[in-house]
Amino acid sequence: MAEAYIIDAVRTPVGKRGGGLSGIHPADLSAHVLRSLVARTGVDPAAVEDVVWGCVDAVGAQAGNIGRTGWLAAGFPEHVPGVTVDRQCGSSQQAVHFAAQAVLSGTSDLVIAGGVQNMSAIPIGSALRGGAELGFPVAYGPGCGSTGWQERYGDEEVTQFRGAELMAEKWQISRDDMEEYALESHRRAVAAIDSGHFTDELTPIAGVEHDEGPRRDTNKEKLEGLKLLREGGRLTAGVASQISDGAAALLIASEQAVAEHGLRPRARVHHMSVRGDDPVFMLSAPIPATKHALAKTGLRASDIDVVEINEAFASVVLAWLQEVDIDPARVNPNGGAIALGHPLGATGAKLMTTLLSELERTGGRYGLQTMCEGGGTANVTIVERL
């Protein structure tokens, strides 16, 4: 049976908005992790068959196939192609899926997957807003101009903020619940940094050696003092993921490539799937996606040693925890995007990098990664540590 192995994974520290990575061109952020990955694995870059790269808001410096330009900016061979994937927040997790699927199918033996995002330079939603001057003020929802969409979903507001609020309402998650969760995310992230949990997975850049997002002085009183994101709602910026910059990359190889290039795998890809849910709720898909993945593999939630679920909003994770019977201590044990940041197109690969490190640190066998995505979808990846 064919296998897809993860040889290694590396990421930049995650920079906060306007922070140490904000002035770095996305191609150069990409190039940095690509060079680091090649150096760490010792693989011949000429043997790489494709670069599958996640990125959202592919405009400006992120346009023109950043998966290709990042590879070229790294100084690597021109004959190696690249492609850019946009599955919204799950873009680089999907990039890992595509890379592994190429290996499992026998189409390729050696593929790099990853992603990049500079949200400081190119704000979230730039691609959506860029359509306004062409006569498309919104992509979907009221005024989108799609007859099919309007007939199916009417004039429902479709935004991540409304989706997070809808989830808080449906699963009866209070503002206090979300603020307590956010505090724990910062506490875990700070503890992980101080304990060196991220050290081996990071490749410092531009003088930035650690994730810039975690706030050591965050407390309940500060969170309680934040304004609501919308009148009558429950969410504040303190329970949402941070706007961030960063990049991450993984090397995926077949059994033949492992032997030919003398590589040492860290993990094997055990399962990959993606499922959809209500696009108006938008952020709820990790729940059915996780249930599908567990049913497909025959694993129980108790078999999963570490979970990385993206903290787009606290309500996303808290609702997931209500539906998936797993020890919360195994979920985002080193903090999540509320504290560590969410560089959109890079987050999937970033979470996978941290998942591998945590499995190795704790001696766990199975790790599960999932994340909500624009449009109401969610990827799930299960890996087995070797």
Side-chain angles (χ1 to χ4, degrees):
M1 179 179 175
E3 297 284 6
Y5 294 106
I6 301 175
I7 306 304
D8 208 350
V10 64
R11 68 177 181 90
T12 66
V14 176
K16 64 183 180 181
R17 177 169 57 177
L21 306 188
S22 61
I24 302 177
H25 194 289
D28 295 328
L29 279 174
S30 301
H32 183 72
V33 291
L34 288 166
R35 284 192 295 261
S36 297
L37 184 67
V38 167
R40 286 165 64 118
T41 60
V43 72
D44 178 1
V48 174
E49 292 165 86
D50 206 354
V51 177
V52 189
W53 214 240
C55 188
V56 185
D57 290 315
V59 297
Q62 291 174 170
N65 190 2
I66 190 69
R68 170 69 170 163
T69 55
W71 178 262
L72 296 176
F76 291 142
E78 291 180 339
H79 73 263
V80 177
V83 65
T84 303
V85 176
D86 180 357
R87 201 190 280 276
Q88 298 294 279
C89 296
S91 295
S92 57
Q93 186 174 2
Q94 184 61 56
V96 172
H97 283 204
F98 283 152
Q101 287 163 355
V103 166
L104 289 168
S105 71
T107 307
S108 302
D109 288 299
L110 208 55
V111 184
I112 289 177
V116 68
Q117 202 81 29
N118 187 326
M119 299 177 74
S120 296
I122 301 173
I124 185 172
S126 291
L128 294 173
R129 290 188 294 272
E133 63 187 49
L134 301 174
F136 301 96
V138 294
Y140 38 57
C144 70
S146 166
T147 302
W149 181 278
Q150 292 291 125
E151 288 177 350
R152 185 165 188 179
Y153 297 107
D155 288 327
E156 291 269 14
E157 176 194 344
V158 185
T159 67
Q160 59 178 327
F161 304 107
R162 185 176 183 225
E165 290 283 8
L166 288 172
M167 291 190 69
E169 293 170 13
K170 180 176 179 178
W171 278 274
Q172 299 182 346
I173 301 166
S174 68
R175 174 175 176 172
D176 185 67
D177 292 334
M178 291 185 281
E179 288 176 346
E180 289 291 344
Y181 182 86
L183 281 174
E184 180 64 8
S185 182
H186 281 279
R187 188 197 68 77
R188 291 184 182 190
V190 169
I193 291 171
D194 290 348
S195 300
H197 292 182
F198 301 137
T199 302
D200 291 341
E201 68 190 53
L202 290 174
T203 175
I205 179 174
V208 179
E209 298 184 355
H210 303 289
D211 298 305
E212 295 181 329
R215 298 184 176 95
R216 294 175 181 272
D217 60 349
T218 297
N219 56 47
K220 194 68 164 63
E221 291 70 27
K222 289 184 177 181
L223 289 174
E224 289 174 343
L226 295 175
K227 293 181 180 180
L228 293 169
L229 294 177
R230 53 177 58 204
E231 186 176 349
R234 310 181 191 194
L235 281 79
T236 69
V239 301
S241 57
Q242 295 187 37
I243 293 171
S244 311
D245 313 319
L250 297 89
L251 180 62
I252 312 295
S254 68
E255 194 163 6
Q256 179 178 331
V258 167
E260 285 185 1
H261 299 278
L263 303 172
R264 183 179 180 183
R266 294 175 62 186
R268 59 178 284 272
V269 177
H270 183 73
H271 170 82
M272 300 171 288
S273 58
V274 60
R275 305 293 280 183
D277 203 16
D278 186 338
V280 177
F281 267 75
M282 189 180 290
L283 313 178
S284 57
I287 295 169
T290 300
K291 292 179 178 180
H292 170 78
L294 293 175
K296 189 84 171 176
T297 59
L299 293 170
R300 297 166 297 179
S302 58
D303 294 320
I304 305 300
D305 298 294
V306 183
V307 172
E308 286 289 337
I309 173 172
N310 191 39
E311 294 174 356
F313 294 86
S315 57
V316 173
V317 185
L318 290 171
W320 184 89
L321 281 167
Q322 286 187 33
E323 297 286 342
V324 179
D325 184 20
I326 191 168
D327 182 358
R330 300 184 184 187
V331 179
N332 298 353
N334 296 301
I338 290 172
L340 292 163
H342 175 24
L344 302 180
T347 297
K350 169 197 173 293
L351 293 183
M352 183 60 68
T353 301
T354 298
L355 179 63
L356 292 171
S357 295
E358 184 65 13
L359 284 172
E360 291 170 346
R361 189 182 72 82
T362 60
R365 180 180 179 184
Y366 288 114
L368 182 148
Q369 177 184 327
T370 188
M371 57 202 308
C372 55
E373 302 154 354
T377 63
N379 283 68
V380 175
T381 317
I382 298 176
V383 299
E384 182 181 15
R385 179 183 66 86
L386 298 178

